[in-house]
Amino acid sequence: MITECTPVQMEFQGLGRRRVEAAFDGGHLSSDGGSLLLRELDAHFTIIERLAACFTDHRNAELIEHSVVELLRQRVFGIALGYEDLNDHDRLRVDPLLALVSGKEDIEGRERRHEADRGIPLASPSTLNRLELTPEDANSDSRYKKLVYSAERIESLLVDLFLESFKATPKEIVLDFDATDDQLHGKQEGRFFHGYYGNYCYLPLYVTCGDELLVAMLRKSNIDACEGTVPVLERLVKAIRAKFPDTRIILRGDSGFCREEIMAWCELNNVYYVLGLAKNSRLIAMLEPVLFKAAIRHRLTGVACREFLSFEYRTQKSWTRARRVIGKAEYLHKGVNPRFIVTNLPEDYATSADLYEKIYCARGDMENRIKEQQMDLFADRTSCNTMRANQLRLWFSSMAYVLMNRLRSTALAGTEMAQATCGTIRIKLFKIAAALKMSVRRVAIHLPTACPYKEVFVKAWEALHRLPRPA
């Protein structure tokens, strides 16, 4: 049984003649009432259940108290609720509401096999840790670590979830590729110093489409930022065309992805690209006429001026052919600011200005998705020794993002939180006090009357209940 300790009585500033006292003795209370929305969402889309299918469980079925899907719900929901560390589950494992949303029927832990575990419904950090630390070659003869994940299945699941997010066949799909740093503070496998970021880090590759996440691939940092792009792109294009054969596919990325191998593959496979192109003296010389024009306009008007020029360009060594380049000749108060992109989109797709300003520059929104992953959902908590374990941690964060984004696009559409970040959704919609009262026939959950976002919560619940019930 849980050790029964006398709660510390805390006294605060009084209210008139009355004393103000507090103690952690409220019983079945939780600070994560909004997790009920995650449970309803996952019950409809079965995201965690499908993630569990990516694991092979070699444990003895007669001795299992926590199924793979329950472990994954506890871990992924915990990240969505703001608990990034496994150590947090030392306390969370007694939370009956987290047990409820994780799928536990015995949410008070009364029927646990061992006496020491009675009253503790959820898994301990050491049990959860087996998800990450199980080696790839583990089997039923392994002593402890017997939960083996399939990287290929998880990668495919992320793409499947993305494709299922479309209600109709899209005219085009723009795939944003970008790399970012995941700073390391230990001696993890694959740790290298990166000169650009100035620290020891991993260099994960992300692929998004709008708000949707398709790829989160952990990589060492002693590589080119675009390494692995062609195999990833090939896999994504194959999956997209299997479902949407007539959809136009556009690859978008910064100058770090402007490589001959990538562009040649796109041209050979009828994939379009819009990529940043690093400036050089030859490019600036070709842009000189419109740079002069922008400078004259700036002097006459006193405001920043832009001109665009489309021309054919080929590098002296690295490119195998000439390609269409669009140059932006911009003159600012601080001086000239030339920029370039390269594309194989047809000229009638958009004007040069729109192609740069509306198509290429829109890739900046991908930075917001990466920030949500790393700052709101702890994708940088890669402190395990092996890259395999850290890759799974990155995917846990990715699945938490998929859940949060699906909640945003389905349950929160039309509300004031339709465009809210994952961190804002957590603070305003998940962190709600909840009091649980349990009887034989029901679990009654009481949420605070004074909750400032209860209207949004109710609208989200209504939207989830309007969704077709899962079979």
Side-chain angles (χ1 to χ4, degrees):
M1 295 290 290
I2 300 177
T3 303
E4 296 291 340
C5 299
T6 303
V8 177
Q9 194 77 17
M10 297 171 285
E11 185 169 348
F12 295 87
Q13 292 296 321
L15 181 64
R17 295 182 178 181
R18 287 175 289 184
R19 299 169 63 183
V20 177
E21 300 174 342
F24 287 98
D25 58 358
H28 292 317
L29 293 170
S30 174
S31 59
D32 299 307
S35 61
L36 291 167
L37 295 177
L38 283 176
R39 179 176 184 262
E40 288 298 300
L41 183 83
D42 189 52
H44 174 76
F45 293 106
T46 64
I47 293 173
I48 303 301
E49 187 176 330
R50 293 163 69 181
L51 177 61
C54 301
F55 285 75
T56 301
D57 189 353
H58 293 293
R59 297 176 297 172
N60 185 337
E62 295 181 357
L63 302 178
I64 293 175
E65 287 192 285
H66 309 290
S67 68
V68 176
V69 70
E70 290 168 350
L71 292 173
L72 289 173
R73 285 188 185 127
Q74 181 181 344
R75 187 73 168 97
V76 176
F77 288 178
I79 292 173
L81 295 170
Y83 305 109
E84 69 269 34
D85 286 325
L86 282 171
N87 291 343
D88 294 326
H89 291 268
D90 268 330
R91 297 286 185 180
L92 290 173
R93 59 193 299 225
V94 302
D95 187 336
L97 185 57
L98 183 58
L100 185 151
V101 300
S102 297
K104 289 287 187 182
E105 291 191 14
D106 179 21
I107 62 175
E108 294 181 278
R110 293 181 177 180
E111 300 174 7
R112 293 292 301 274
R113 180 177 289 110
H114 299 291
E115 182 69 25
D117 292 329
R118 302 279 167 78
I120 306 175
L122 290 167
S124 66
S126 60
T127 300
L128 290 170
N129 210 24
R130 296 177 188 178
L131 293 166
E132 302 162 5
L133 298 186
T134 299
E136 190 174 8
D137 58 353
N139 55 43
S140 56
D141 294 328
S142 301
R143 185 172 183 182
Y144 295 120
K145 305 179 180 71
K146 301 182 180 182
L147 299 171
V148 184
Y149 76 80
S150 167
E152 293 77 12
R153 291 181 186 176
I154 297 177
E155 289 171 344
S156 297
L157 175 59
L158 280 170
V159 179
D160 290 343
L161 292 169
F162 161 70
L163 295 173
E164 291 168 12
S165 68
F166 292 96
K167 297 179 181 179
T169 301
K171 181 179 179 181
E172 74 176 23
I173 288 176
V174 180
L175 300 175
D176 284 310
F177 280 67
D178 203 0
T180 190
D181 68 315
D182 174 6
Q183 191 171 350
L184 301 176
H185 305 281
K187 301 291 184 179
Q188 291 94 321
E189 178 188 10
R191 169 183 177 270
F192 287 94
F193 186 84
H194 196 287
Y196 177 80
Y197 293 109
N199 55 54
Y200 288 90
C201 62
Y202 288 135
L203 195 68
L205 174 68
Y206 285 95
V207 182
T208 63
C209 178
D211 290 342
E212 299 290 335
L213 176 67
L214 290 80
V215 173
M217 184 172 72
L218 198 65
R219 304 176 302 173
K220 300 176 182 179
S221 61
N222 62 336
I223 58 171
D224 189 2
C226 70
E227 185 167 314
T229 294
V230 170
V232 169
L233 186 59
E234 187 173 7
R235 176 171 60 85
L236 295 178
V237 169
K238 181 180 179 181
I240 292 169
R241 286 186 172 155
K243 186 167 185 178
F244 305 127
D246 299 322
T247 295
R248 179 194 295 121
I249 302 174
I250 301 175
L251 163 66
R252 186 164 59 188
D254 61 21
S255 59
F257 293 84
C258 185
R259 300 291 187 268
E260 170 65 25
E261 179 188 15
I262 296 172
M263 293 185 290
W265 188 92
C266 290
E267 292 157 356
L268 186 63
N269 291 275
N270 195 30
V271 173
Y272 296 100
Y273 56 80
V274 181
L275 302 169
L277 176 61
K279 59 187 175 184
N280 57 46
S281 58
R282 287 179 59 211
L283 286 168
I284 293 174
M286 298 174 78
L287 199 61
E288 199 63 44
V290 287
L291 279 171
F292 178 75
K293 185 177 179 181
I296 294 297
R297 286 180 55 207
H298 172 71
R299 291 189 183 118
L300 292 174
T301 63
V303 298
C305 295
R306 286 182 176 183
E307 296 286 341
F308 292 89
L309 180 67
S310 177
F311 56 91
E312 291 291 306
Y313 173 78
R314 179 177 177 177
T315 62
Q316 293 179 340
K317 295 181 180 179
S318 58
W319 291 7
T320 58
R321 49 165 292 184
R323 294 183 169 96
R324 181 188 175 204
V325 170
I326 294 172
K328 179 194 73 170
E330 185 174 41
Y331 210 94
L332 308 170
H333 294 294
K334 63 181 180 181
V336 67
N337 181 39
R339 291 288 187 271
F340 302 90
I341 60 173
V342 59
T343 183
N344 64 340
L345 282 165
E347 292 192 22
D348 61 356
Y349 178 84
T351 65
S352 296
D354 285 347
L355 198 58
Y356 184 91
E357 295 175 335
K358 296 182 179 180
I359 307 301
Y360 176 72
C361 289
R363 66 167 296 277
D365 189 54
M366 183 189 186
E367 299 293 335
N368 295 326
R369 308 287 79 76
I370 295 176
K371 287 178 182 177
E372 285 188 284
Q373 283 270 286
Q374 292 195 324
M375 299 176 69
D376 293 344
L377 297 170
F378 322 110
D380 58 352
R381 303 295 289 187
T382 47
S383 56
C384 292
N385 287 331
T386 67
M387 286 196 71
R388 177 177 172 83
N390 287 323
Q391 173 64 82
L392 186 59
R393 286 194 168 192
L394 179 58
W395 279 329
F396 285 159
S397 170
S398 300
M399 288 300 171
Y401 175 82
V402 170
L403 281 166
M404 298 282 275
N405 188 54
R406 193 62 60 90
L407 182 73
R408 184 164 51 194
S409 63
T410 55
L412 298 178
T415 73
E416 62 187 89
M417 292 191 192
Q419 302 297 323
T421 65
C422 294
T424 299
I425 292 171
R426 174 191 300 138
I427 292 172
K428 294 185 176 181
L429 212 59
F430 289 174
K431 293 302 178 181
I432 299 174
L436 283 73
K437 293 184 179 179
M438 288 158 279
S439 65
V440 175
R441 293 191 297 175
R442 70 169 186 164
V443 177
I445 301 172
H446 300 276
L447 304 176
T449 305
C451 176
Y453 297 98
K454 61 184 176 182
E455 289 82 7
V456 177
F457 190 100
V458 171
K459 287 180 181 178
W461 171 79
E462 290 173 343
L464 290 173
H465 272 253
R466 284 195 298 268
L467 294 173
R469 291 291 91 190

